[in-house]
Amino acid sequence: MARKIIIDTDPGQDDAVAILLALASPELEVLGITCVAGNVPLNLTTKNARIVCELAQRPDIKVFAGCDKPIARKLVTAEHVHGKTGLDGITLPDPEMPLQTAHAVDFLIDTLRHEPVGTVTLCPIGPLTNIATAMQRAPDIIGRIQEIVLMGGAYFEVGNITPAAEFNIYVDPEAAKIVFGAGAPLTVMPLDVTHKALTNRTRVDAFRAMPGRVGPAVASWTDFFERYDKEKYGSEGAPLHDPCTIAYLLRPELFSGREINVEIETGSELTLGMTVADWWRVTGRPANARFMGDVDAAGFFALLLERIARL
Ligand code: BDR
Ligand code: CA
């Protein structure tokens, strides 16, 4: 039986590739896509999620609009990375499929209450506002979650949006604190992993050479997206952050990490949104996350190429 997932997202080119990977994989059943404000404002993330579903010829997927701003702060966006639309790199048609009328938070709560206990996995790949709001409003759902597999945070890589913090956690640190403290099984893909999942010429050329529209669109997105990291880090290509979460559900053996304690900084101006990861287990605080540290990048791209070629 396919594993049921909800993707909570703020597309974003790398979010788009994560959604495509999930839609291309029969091992996963995407119950819905819940959108949040993050890389770009909510009106664009809801539009982009539907553009991606239509690109994959899946207008049947339910897409929901969620929170338009963080729990306690002003929204910070990342157009400097993803472009004005959030999906710069290729112009795709405006979506025709409708947005669902329910709020994303209600959909999360209703789905978790309705599906059998322990059968729904959440894949948050943007700020954690929707997930934390659902947990606050309906604490009974926490014990019903099979697993949360999220992209966010960093330890050895420290930060990307500030010297100390990764974007998804930084945008809504209060939400992250709620999710990391909730007690649900939690797997984290931090920058330590995603900065190893880098595109290169050979990989992008392989996407571009695929027949159909999807592979070439992925190549155009990564071409656009990589300019930022190449300039900043001098890296070979673009980090495909968000698809690491979906790849983990499909091939967990590609990743390795540790069960550790991770706390979220919400007080300090200097280190706001930092994931304080007890990698060396020096605090004695109980583990609350499986915090990943490494990925087999060749295996990851082999999987991604094989799956995207199916669309
Ligand atoms: C995360 O921030 C966003 O810009 C990406 O989509 C990813 O989810 C990486 O820090
Ligand atoms: Ca994202």
Side-chain angles (χ1 to χ4, degrees):
M1 212 172 66
R3 183 166 177 176
K4 293 174 189 167
I5 67 168
I6 298 173
I7 303 176
D8 187 73
T9 177
D10 62 338
Q13 292 88 350
D14 62 320
D15 300 72
V17 179
I19 293 168
L20 292 172
L21 177 58
L23 295 180
S25 298
E27 301 93 329
L28 303 175
E29 182 190 351
V30 180
L31 299 179
I33 296 179
T34 51
C35 298
V36 68
N39 287 323
V40 285
L42 187 68
N43 65 319
L44 290 175
T45 61
T46 51
K47 179 179 172 188
N48 293 345
R50 289 177 293 149
I51 288 175
V52 175
C53 291
E54 289 190 0
L55 178 68
Q57 293 180 299
R58 292 297 303 278
D60 56 301
I61 298 288
K62 293 182 186 158
V63 178
F64 299 84
C67 301
D68 62 358
K69 56 175 184 305
I71 288 177
R73 295 173 193 274
K74 270 180 66 178
L75 177 65
V76 175
T77 53
E79 284 88 355
H80 60 294
V81 183
H82 300 273
K84 245 175 80 150
T85 65
L87 276 188
D88 278 22
I90 180 173
T91 307
L92 291 166
D94 280 355
E96 285 175 10
M97 61 188 279
L99 256 186
Q100 299 294 307
T101 48
H103 192 282
V105 170
D106 292 324
F107 172 73
L108 283 161
I109 294 171
D110 292 347
T111 306
L112 283 161
R113 282 181 176 162
H114 175 261
E115 296 288 340
V117 178
T119 63
V120 177
T121 294
L122 306 181
C123 298
I125 52 178
L128 289 161
T129 322
N130 287 341
I131 310 293
T133 306
M135 287 176 166
Q136 268 186 324
R137 206 175 289 167
D140 57 288
I141 64 170
I142 295 169
R144 305 183 65 86
I145 298 169
Q146 181 176 4
E147 187 178 359
I148 301 173
V149 182
L150 67 82
M151 189 280 137
Y155 179 59
F156 294 97
E157 289 283 301
V158 199
N160 59 358
I161 184 79
T162 74
E166 181 279 329
F167 179 79
N168 289 341
I169 307 296
Y170 176 77
V171 171
D172 199 341
E174 282 74 21
K177 199 180 188 80
I178 291 166
V179 173
F180 277 71
L186 178 61
T187 298
V188 180
M189 293 291 163
L191 296 179
D192 309 305
V193 170
T194 67
H195 279 175
K196 293 173 187 144
L198 293 177
T199 58
N200 60 28
R201 229 359 73 210
T202 317
R203 290 163 181 167
V204 176
D205 286 347
F207 284 119
R208 191 169 287 112
M210 286 176 188
R213 293 194 308 152
V214 180
V218 170
S220 304
W221 282 330
T222 52
D223 276 347
F224 178 85
F225 184 50
E226 72 179 19
R227 88 210 178 289
Y228 180 77
D229 279 74
K230 272 181 161 172
E231 204 174 290
K232 182 173 167 192
Y233 296 109
S235 55
E236 208 185 347
L240 290 188
H241 305 283
D242 295 339
C244 288
T245 58
I246 306 295
Y248 175 76
L249 295 178
L250 299 169
R251 297 275 310 276
E253 68 280 5
L254 293 174
F255 300 87
S256 59
R258 293 183 175 195
E259 305 274 343
I260 58 168
N261 178 269
V262 182
E263 302 293 332
I264 309 295
E265 176 60 57
T266 55
S268 155
E269 226 177 90
L270 200 56
T271 58
L272 183 70
M274 186 172 191
T275 43
V276 181
D278 188 7
W279 184 263
W280 303 113
R281 299 196 179 103
V282 293
T283 64
R285 292 194 285 256
N288 59 346
R290 182 178 300 148
F291 196 83
M292 292 302 168
D294 209 354
V295 57
D296 166 0
F300 169 77
F301 275 94
L303 172 70
L304 194 56
L305 284 161
E306 185 262 312
R307 293 305 167 98
I308 298 296
R310 296 183 188 190
L311 292 171

